[in-house]
Amino acid sequence: MMKIAFEIRKLARSLAVLSAMLLPVLHTAPAHAANVLSWVSRTGSDNNDCATAATPCLSFQGALGKTLSGGEITCLDFGDFGGMAIANSVTIDCLATGGAVSGPDGCGVDPIFISARGIVVTLRGLTVTGNTGCIDFENGIRIDAAAAVFIEDCVVENHTSVGIFDDRNTGLTRLVIKNTIVRNNKSVGILAAAATPPNSVVLENVQSVGNSFGIAVATGNNVVISRSVMSENASAGIEADPGALVVVDNTEISHNVNYGIATLGTVTLANSDISFNNSSISGTTMSYGNNRIFGNGAGTAPTLIGQQ
Amino acid sequence: MEMLRCAREKWTPGRSVPFYVDQHRCAGMQFAVDYVALHHKNGVAPGTLRCPVQEGATDMMKIAFEIRKLARSLAVLSAILLPVLHTGSAHAQNPRSYVSHNGNDGNNCSTAATACLTFQGALGKTTNGGEITCVDFGLFGNMNVTLSVTVDCRATGGMAGVGCNSAILINAQGMVVTLRGLTVTASTNCVQQGIAINTATAVFIEDCVVQNNNQFGILDQRTSGLTRLVIKNTIIRNNGSAGIVLQAARVNSVVLENVQSVFNTFGIAVATGSNVVISRSVMSENASAGIEADPGALVVVDNTEISHNVNYGVIAFGTVTLANSDISFNNSSILGTAMSYGNNRLFGNGGGTAPTPIGQQ
């Protein structure tokens, strides 16, 4: 306690000295390389250079055309900035304001289509929305080609087909989804259907609800799901095809109409709840003995394996 | 009685004693009562009771005394500082400064209407221990932090970097620096760190993204020892070298909570001298390893996903303990000797050394 008092005195003395020292701190304005960062605004125009907050674009597609590879796009305010085809490495970050993405007329065209091999794409703070009243099929985010895709703090909702559809065919690809809600899509919420050699997929704090499947995993996709919710889906919370590898930790799998988990592949379960599904598990799963299976109609008990 | 009391207090009537406290806060009521009686007998009114702090004083008494003394000092300091601050010095020092993408570093930056344009401009106008906040989202440039400051743009977001120097340099010996709600980024063709901590007593990084820097994401290379680093709710992504490098001198105390370090060369690399606790985090999709510990490094890992790292999940040349964690889909799970509390899941790795079991208590 005496030491604290001493420090208080020392701080008081330092204040005077520091005040004098800090006055002449240099001012350095960084150079703004045009369109390393591009802006969009609901009052913008795609005829602008989009390089400043005063001259923003109106659409994501317009901003993409004016952003360097590896650059960033941000939202000045909330708006619906339309769909986009992404063929360069880019970070689109509208976490501060929110930013909506919808396809032309909201129907039949995937709002976000990522299509170039080797690129790294981050989508952050976007609401990718469709219209379930449409007749044509559309996916929310379709990843056709890319080395790595990061989806953070997004909502992917109301699409007539898949929410997030990874169908890359190069192998050795990566997908990380964090803090994201995938809701009310007519088909699968998250469809990991990229080619082997493996597609490495990480889901952390993802809620996939009200779709046909929470997540469906094809052969060649290795998925780790943690701290997530795969609930309220029409067919199953988690589905694994033959050859799919899925690690589930600390996740709620509940209220899925048919199955909590439907697997013909390999699924390991740890620290998770499987509750109130018509059937808890269809197929062979592995459990570390620390899951809670409760209130389901029926199902196959998992095979116990040991922790280390 | 009087002689006994005087002997114990090393006090004699008429001698001035250095400290004053309220009579009821003297150490022990009986002592106070005796003291009152003594002074009363000597003609001193109880209301002006004096008693020496050294004699059985509580810590609270000492603190109270020091605070009063500080208050007196502040009055003196104010008298000294006021003329300085009011005589046309170039920049007033703000306890809170603002930046805006519509700002100007020629402003005083003390209100939202008179915001700076850059973090560096705002730093130059902020008191030690003050705060900088963003009026709106913007690219506010690199900064060299030399004082205790909180830069908090959690509400709007705010970007640092994009130049070709380390986006945030912390050269703040003895200072405490908090970075909150910032995106620290770079053009991928620049050689730079995201956040380089050269000197500081303590650094707190919260709700940040550190991305696309083509060297380290966060580099802690303090040399003083007895330093602290806390990283929370932060994503470190797509940096050209390690996501987090801890190579500060002994002992550097580091806490990571809810940190996702992905698609770097290493998720985190720890040198000797750093003691690290990692919880509720993700160290995945890195090119070399999720977690690397040099000889002498101490790393505690709890409830963390370590997956899809191309070479190793964990490299344990130092000491690594693992609890409640998944190590999955790495080419090799563990290189070296790690310790496990027996509740980890190792699955789908190409190979690796099983950890040594140790007991929970």
Side-chain angles (χ1 to χ4, degrees):
Chain A
M1 289 296 212
M2 282 304 280
K3 287 177 184 168
I4 293 173
F6 174 70
E7 291 301 329
I8 291 171
R9 286 201 307 276
K10 221 165 90 173
L11 175 62
R13 283 197 300 274
S14 303
L15 280 173
V17 179
L18 275 164
S19 299
M21 285 170 62
L22 287 172
L23 288 174
V25 172
L26 292 175
H27 297 182
T28 53
H32 287 235
N35 294 28
V36 167
L37 172 64
S38 293
W39 299 74
V40 295
S41 165
R42 60 174 184 262
T43 59
S45 163
D46 285 350
N47 294 323
N48 288 339
D49 65 11
C50 315
T52 71
T55 60
C57 279
L58 181 61
S59 74
F60 283 130
Q61 195 66 62
L64 279 167
K66 294 168 183 174
T67 305
L68 295 174
S69 178
E72 181 141 346
I73 295 171
T74 192
C75 294
L76 187 58
D77 44 38
F78 180 84
D80 184 346
F81 301 116
M84 63 186 118
I86 299 174
N88 278 323
S89 292
V90 68
T91 298
I92 301 175
D93 185 348
C94 295
L95 184 59
T97 59
V101 184
S102 60
D105 303 323
C107 282
V109 176
D110 302 338
I112 297 182
F113 184 67
I114 301 171
S115 62
R117 290 187 176 199
I119 64 173
V120 178
V121 175
T122 299
L123 307 172
R124 185 168 160 83
L126 303 179
T127 297
V128 186
T129 195
N131 180 350
T132 51
C134 286
I135 296 171
D136 297 328
F137 291 125
E138 66 170 29
N139 308 295
I141 300 171
R142 183 171 168 196
I143 308 167
D144 199 51
V149 175
F150 303 91
I151 299 171
E152 301 161 5
D153 297 283
C154 287
V155 175
V156 183
E157 62 177 4
N158 303 343
H159 298 285
T160 49
S161 188
V162 176
I164 299 172
F165 183 14
D166 186 350
D167 67 344
R168 289 175 284 184
N169 59 16
T170 57
L172 297 175
T173 49
R174 295 172 185 280
L175 172 63
V176 181
I177 308 176
K178 180 175 167 72
N179 300 348
T180 287
I181 297 169
V182 183
R183 184 199 328 110
N184 194 35
N185 300 286
K186 281 192 167 177
S187 184
V188 180
I190 300 167
L191 179 52
T196 192
N199 183 33
S200 301
V201 182
V202 172
L203 272 61
E204 185 196 2
N205 191 23
V206 172
Q207 190 183 78
S208 188
V209 293
N211 310 290
S212 66
F213 294 83
I215 181 169
V217 184
T219 184
N221 293 265
N222 299 350
V223 183
V224 173
I225 304 170
S226 66
R227 291 181 276 281
S228 292
V229 174
M230 300 283 154
S231 294
E232 311 273 6
N233 296 287
S235 291
I238 297 173
E239 191 275 345
D241 283 356
L245 301 175
V246 183
V247 168
V248 182
D249 178 39
N250 199 0
T251 288
E252 305 300 312
I253 305 161
S254 74
H255 303 96
N256 297 289
V257 176
N258 289 332
Y259 302 102
I261 296 168
T263 176
L264 297 170
T266 301
V267 177
T268 71
L269 300 165
N271 297 313
S272 293
D273 286 280
I274 304 175
S275 308
F276 306 126
N277 307 283
N278 273 4
S279 170
S280 58
I281 298 171
S282 167
T284 304
T285 57
M286 289 180 278
S287 166
Y288 292 97
N290 51 7
N291 301 284
R292 286 77 58 183
I293 302 177
F294 181 81
N296 303 283
T300 306
T303 304
L304 288 176
I305 56 174
Q307 296 187 114
Q308 288 182 285
Chain B
M1 177 66 185
E2 183 174 337
M3 290 305 294
L4 177 65
R5 181 63 58 201
C6 289
R8 206 177 99 184
E9 296 159 11
K10 296 182 173 44
W11 177 88
T12 53
R15 176 191 163 202
S16 70
V17 289
F19 301 124
Y20 296 75
V21 296
D22 179 273
Q23 69 182 72
H24 297 297
R25 296 197 182 106
C26 277
M29 186 54 71
Q30 190 54 50
F31 174 85
V33 169
D34 288 348
Y35 215 94
V36 170
L38 174 65
H39 278 74
H40 200 57
K41 186 178 173 185
N42 290 332
V44 178
T48 59
L49 170 68
R50 305 179 299 178
C51 67
V53 164
Q54 294 96 325
E55 271 292 335
T58 66
D59 284 332
M60 288 311 294
M61 291 160 64
K62 294 170 184 173
I63 292 266
F65 170 73
E66 293 299 339
I67 288 173
R68 282 201 304 279
K69 230 175 127 185
L70 174 62
R72 287 196 296 274
S73 303
L74 281 175
V76 176
L77 267 168
S78 299
I80 295 168
L81 283 175
L82 277 175
V84 176
L85 295 174
H86 287 226
T87 52
S89 69
H91 305 295
Q93 300 297 301
N94 312 313
R96 178 184 297 278
S97 296
Y98 292 85
V99 295
S100 163
H101 61 243
N102 294 317
N104 184 324
D105 284 352
N107 290 339
N108 65 22
C109 314
S110 65
T111 70
T114 60
C116 278
L117 181 63
T118 70
F119 284 133
Q120 194 64 55
L123 280 167
K125 293 168 183 173
T126 305
T127 54
N128 188 47
E131 182 143 341
I132 295 172
T133 193
C134 294
V135 177
D136 45 35
F137 180 85
L139 173 55
F140 301 118
N142 298 340
M143 59 178 127
N144 182 6
V145 181
T146 58
L147 69 163
S148 287
V149 69
T150 295
V151 182
D152 186 347
C153 296
R154 180 74 178 81
T156 61
M159 287 181 75
V162 178
C164 278
N165 299 304
S166 288
I168 299 180
L169 270 172
I170 300 178
N171 291 304
Q173 183 75 46
M175 302 295 172
V176 178
V177 177
T178 298
L179 306 173
R180 184 169 160 83
L182 303 180
T183 296
V184 184
T185 194
S187 171
T188 47
N189 57 5
C190 291
V191 176
Q192 71 167 37
Q193 267 76 241
I195 300 172
I197 308 169
N198 294 328
T199 58
T201 297
V203 175
F204 303 91
I205 299 172
E206 301 163 4
D207 296 288
C208 287
V209 175
V210 183
Q211 63 177 15
N212 304 344
N213 302 283
N214 75 351
Q215 291 197 322
F216 305 125
I218 297 172
L219 169 62
D220 186 350
Q221 54 184 357
R222 289 174 285 183
T223 58
S224 62
L226 297 177
T227 49
R228 295 176 186 279
L229 171 64
V230 181
I231 309 177
K232 181 175 168 69
N233 300 348
T234 287
I235 296 171
I236 298 141
R237 181 194 341 105
N238 192 31
N239 298 286
S241 187
I244 302 169
V245 176
L246 305 174
Q247 57 183 38
R250 188 176 311 275
V251 172
N252 187 29
S253 302
V254 182
V255 172
L256 272 62
E257 186 196 0
N258 190 24
V259 172
Q260 191 183 77
S261 187
V262 293
F263 206 51
N264 311 289
T265 57
F266 294 84
I268 182 169
V270 185
T272 183
S274 285
N275 298 351
V276 186
V277 173
I278 304 171
S279 66
R280 291 180 282 283
S281 291
V282 174
M283 300 283 155
S284 295
E285 310 270 10
N286 297 288
S288 292
I291 297 173
E292 190 274 346
D294 283 357
L298 302 174
V299 183
V300 169
V301 182
D302 179 38
N303 198 0
T304 287
E305 306 297 315
I306 305 162
S307 74
H308 303 99
N309 298 290
V310 175
N311 290 331
Y312 301 100
V314 176
I315 299 176
F317 296 139
T319 301
V320 178
T321 71
L322 300 165
N324 294 316
S325 293
D326 286 280
I327 303 178
S328 308
F329 306 128
N330 307 284
N331 274 4
S332 173
S333 59
I334 298 172
L335 173 67
T337 306
M339 289 182 279
S340 167
Y341 290 98
N343 51 6
N344 301 286
R345 284 82 56 186
L346 280 65
F347 181 82
N349 303 286
T353 307
T356 305
I358 54 174
Q360 297 190 115
Q361 298 176 39

